[in-house]
Amino acid sequence: MGASDPEVAPWARGGAAGMAGAGAGAGARGGAAAGVEARARDPPPAHRAQPRQHRPAAQPSARRMDGASGGLGSGDSAPTTEALFVALGAGVTALSHPLLYVKLLIQVGHEPMPPTLGTNVLGRKVLYLPSFFTYAKYIVQVDGKIGLFRGLSPRLMSNALSTVTRGSMKKVFPPDEIEQVSNKDDMKTSLRKVVKETSYEMMMQCVSRMLAHPLHVISMRCMVQFVGREAKYSGVLSSIGKIFKEEGLLGFFVGLIPHLLGDVVFLWGCNLLAHFINAYLVDDSFSQALAIRSYTKFVMGIAVSMLTYPFLLVGDLMAVNNCGLQAGLPPYSPVFKSWIHCWKYLSVQGQLFRGSSLLFRRVSSGSCFALE
């Protein structure tokens, strides 16, 4: 979801991680079911034609394997798997950072280059603001290529902390076996299943978001220093000291509420929509039902993330508002009393989706961009 961690979230956004986890769980369940079915079909060998007297107890699933089980999540392989996820996440975060950096500068209203005249699909003349690629070239001209990675360090730490937190929570609160929803289930049963799964995902996402948010605030402030060419926030430790001294403990959690609301709305909206489509619109007798269901949640995630974008925008603006940086002060932004005040202001200006598009950016009539 844009400038958040993705997590998103999360696929912030953290929503993408939740969908990946759900997909992995479904795959593991499907593989286990296939193995049982195959063993049931295989005929017993000749020297064991007599019926079996004892059936071994069912083994614990991959979700519940402990240190003595020797599974993927056990013993020495658990820290290795977690470290692998952290490393992969760090790589994706680093590669996508220039995109998030440009998006954040657009969100705060920094438009250092004038719009250009163009035509839309109907042939009408409209003003277009610079696209992501033009904006990125401008940043390189000012700060060099390394300038595209301003604020990356706290963002890497934030994502790593979020990943480790989710992994630790799974160990402390292991998820129960989640049955696969089918259109054969009645309304009450199917809803119970999806509510149970979504509640668990929401708990993990909210906790990881709250713990990682202070680093997210530092990352946002490091990036928007490009607007006023400030150097107030230069390192993680020094930034922590400045925020605590000037704003107190609450300064680390500015903008947290809209981010949490966005995460909750995203998870429930995505999971419920995907559930109703998979359970009631996709018939099990259809040959491609499994393939369609595997993509439903992904498509719904894209759609719902567009609807929850205003929560992301408001949260990011509140993280840099009135913090002593030019990007959080007039003329770029008023000093907001609360995130609701910020939401109402953007709504009146028609800017609740500012920064959601990075390619074809038209100048709106209610634009509050500060053109230099």
Side-chain angles (χ1 to χ4, degrees), residues 19 22-23 26 29 179-186 190-191 194 197 269-286 288-301:
M19 287 187 283
R29 290 191 299 273
E179 302 174 75
Q180 191 171 7
V181 178
S182 171
N183 62 351
K184 296 179 181 179
D185 295 328
D186 55 51
S190 58
L191 278 178
V194 73
E197 178 182 4
C270 176
N271 286 0
L272 287 176
L273 286 174
H275 158 67
F276 284 118
I277 291 175
N278 287 340
Y280 301 107
L281 298 182
V282 181
D283 196 280
D284 286 336
S285 61
F286 184 54
Q288 300 298 324
L290 187 61
I292 294 176
R293 284 178 175 141
S294 64
Y295 289 103
T296 302
K297 206 167 189 179
F298 173 76
V299 175
M300 290 300 100

Side-chain angles (χ1 to χ4, degrees), residues 93 97 100-101 146-157 215-216 218-225 233-234 236:
T93 299
H97 189 76
L100 181 141
Y101 184 21
I146 195 67
L148 289 173
F149 299 93
R150 180 193 294 260
L152 176 60
S153 296
R155 185 165 174 242
L156 287 174
M157 296 172 65
L215 290 169
H216 174 74
I218 295 174
S219 178
M220 297 292 103
R221 295 184 180 184
C222 288
M223 286 188 274
V224 299
Q225 290 182 134
Y233 299 96
S234 56
V236 175

Side-chain angles (χ1 to χ4, degrees), residues 80-104:
T80 303
T81 303
E82 188 170 290
L84 178 61
F85 276 113
V86 172
L88 290 175
V92 173
T93 299
L95 291 175
S96 64
H97 189 76
L99 185 69
L100 181 141
Y101 184 21
V102 172
K103 177 185 282 290
L104 179 63

Side-chain angles (χ1 to χ4, degrees), residues 323-342:
C323 65
L325 300 178
Q326 185 176 336
L329 297 169
Y332 288 94
S333 170
V335 176
F336 298 117
K337 299 178 181 178
S338 66
W339 71 271
I340 298 178
H341 179 203
C342 178

Side-chain angles (χ1 to χ4, degrees), residues 154-175:
R155 185 165 174 242
L156 287 174
M157 296 172 65
S158 174
N159 287 0
L161 178 60
S162 179
T163 301
V164 172
T165 300
R166 295 175 69 92
S168 300
M169 288 187 65
K170 286 183 178 179
K171 296 176 183 178
V172 177
F173 305 102

